[in-house]
Structures are given as structure tokens and as C-alpha cells.
Amino acid sequence: MPKRSFPLSRVYRLLEPGPVVLLTTSRKGRDNVMTQSWHTMLEFEPPLVAMVVSNRNYSFDALRTTRECVINVPTAKLAKEIVGCGNTSGRKTDKFERFGLTRKSASEVAAPLIDECWASLEGRVVDTRMVEKYGLFVIEVVKAWVDASLKNPRTLHHRGMGLFMIAGESVKLPSRMK
Ligand SMILES: Cc1cc2nc3c(=O)[nH]c(=O)nc-3n(C[C@H](O)[C@H](O)[C@H](O)COP(=O)(O)O)c2cc1C
């Protein structure tokens, strides 16, 4: 394949991460939701997820002080809400109200689940050693909810600069994991 040099500032666009998620937090009685795409799995069980949250975001302090959140996984149907929650701050806006999102009580944490999302993972921050340097929180998923009726969830994947990829069909390949 003939390749050309690619700017280092855009490398993140090549390593396409998992689905864009809606991260909910709750602090001092105020629920908030922010769009997040820089995350990765770290461990199978207990499930550990690393999430990068900038300290410029209102969600940062909520996550750092309450050490709780819900990682909600939307499908492409929520594209407008996903972009909206990623371009407004909870400092001044109730994003649940503004974007018509329905909150549901979680069972293990104070942050709410988003009813319109395909899956919701209740989580607790278990490692903050890289927060100062990278804004990286390690979160243990303590309860997971999923709409099992959705067999092929069409999740959104961020490719940078307003470009998204929508997950499509699934393929079954040989694997030692049954
Ligand atoms: C598609 C998309 C992905 C984003 N991913 C992240 C991310 O991984 N980490 C982050 O800190 N901000 C990310 N943002 C930006 C935040 O969602 C944005 O700054 C938001 O306004 C923060 O809300 P808050 O101030 O209410 O916390 C993303 C935004 C969009 C639109």
C-alpha cells in the first residue's frame, strides 16, 4: 500500500477507539452527562476501563471527588444528543433537560443511567495515579445493564473533526474463546 507521511497531531484518528459513550456523574445533587471517546478496556474481570477526562470539563471534578459514574453506550440514533452533550458544559446547562435524555436510578452509584442508551455500566474509580498527568481514571464496572433485544447495536465511533463511523454488521471468526 503506498503511504504518505501523516501528521502526528492526527494519529489518534487512525486508532479508532470503541464506541462513543455518554459519561454520567452526579455531584451535590446535580446530574451531568458528557460525551467521551478516549477509553479502553484494561481487564476482563472485574471489568476495568481506563477513561481520559480533561480537567477542563465540568465532569472532571465530579468524577474525581465522587469517584462514581455511569458509562452509557448510545447507538447512532442518539447522534444529535451525543454531539450536543460533547459541545455544551454542565456548568451552566442541565443537559438531560436540554437534550431530552431520561435518567434512571442506578443500583450501585449515585450517577444516573440514561434510559435511551443501549447499555449502561455503573462504575467506581479505583485508580487515580494517572489523573494528574493524563486525566486518566481507572474505573471498575460494578454493575452492567444491557438491552439484550438489540443484536447488532449500531454504535458511533469517533474519527475526529466531526467525523464518525457507524458500526455495522458482525462477523463470526474462529476464536479460542467460545
Ligand atoms: C465525539 C466527542 C468525543 C469526546 N471525547 C472526549 C474524551 O474522550 N475526553 C474528554 O475529556 N472530552 C471529550 N469530549 C469533549 C467533552 O464531551 C466536552 O468538553 C463536554 O462539553 C464536557 O462537558 P462537561 O463540561 O459538562 O463535563 C468529546 C466530545 C465529543 C463531541
Side-chain angles (χ1 to χ4, degrees):
M1 282 184 203
K3 295 185 183 68
R4 63 171 174 82
S5 174
F6 192 75
L8 295 181
S9 62
R10 294 189 189 169
V11 164
Y12 78 97
R13 301 185 65 180
L14 303 178
L15 292 177
E16 189 253 327
V20 174
V21 300
L22 292 171
L23 185 74
T24 52
T25 46
S26 185
R27 186 184 177 207
K28 295 182 179 167
R30 278 186 70 184
D31 299 336
N32 190 31
V33 45
M34 79 160 244
T35 304
Q36 212 264 0
S37 62
W38 284 19
H39 56 77
T40 184
M41 289 303 302
L42 292 180
E43 181 57 277
F44 284 109
E45 210 173 341
L48 295 181
V49 185
M51 311 207 73
V52 176
V53 177
S54 161
N55 61 10
R56 290 187 297 273
N57 292 333
Y58 183 64
S59 303
F60 178 88
D61 272 340
L63 191 56
R64 196 171 52 171
T65 54
T66 66
R67 298 178 75 99
E68 290 184 352
C69 64
V70 179
I71 303 164
N72 299 275
V73 192
T75 63
K77 276 189 184 164
L78 287 191
K80 205 160 44 77
E81 292 81 355
I82 290 168
V83 172
C85 290
N87 285 286
T88 46
S89 178
R91 268 184 205 95
K92 291 191 183 142
T93 309
D94 178 341
K95 294 193 227 178
F96 285 89
E97 206 165 285
R98 170 129 178 223
F99 300 107
L101 296 169
T102 314
R103 54 194 114 188
K104 275 204 154 174
S105 297
S107 71
E108 305 292 327
V109 300
L113 316 181
I114 299 176
D115 198 35
E116 289 81 4
C117 286
W118 162 63
S120 292
L121 314 174
E122 301 182 25
R124 288 211 180 89
V125 174
V126 290
D127 194 335
T128 55
R129 279 174 293 181
M130 282 194 274
V131 167
E132 201 66 37
K133 196 167 179 186
Y134 300 114
L136 187 147
F137 293 82
V138 178
I139 292 161
E140 177 179 339
V141 177
V142 292
K143 180 80 194 165
W145 305 94
V146 68
D147 176 356
S149 70
L150 257 187
K151 296 297 174 221
N152 262 334
R154 290 170 56 77
T155 48
L156 267 192
H157 300 253
H158 193 212
R159 298 186 61 197
M161 317 291 277
L163 193 65
F164 292 84
M165 205 159 68
I166 300 177
E169 58 189 283
S170 299
V171 285
K172 181 87 180 103
L173 299 173
S175 155
R176 63 193 174 88
M177 311 273 276
K178 292 289 174 222

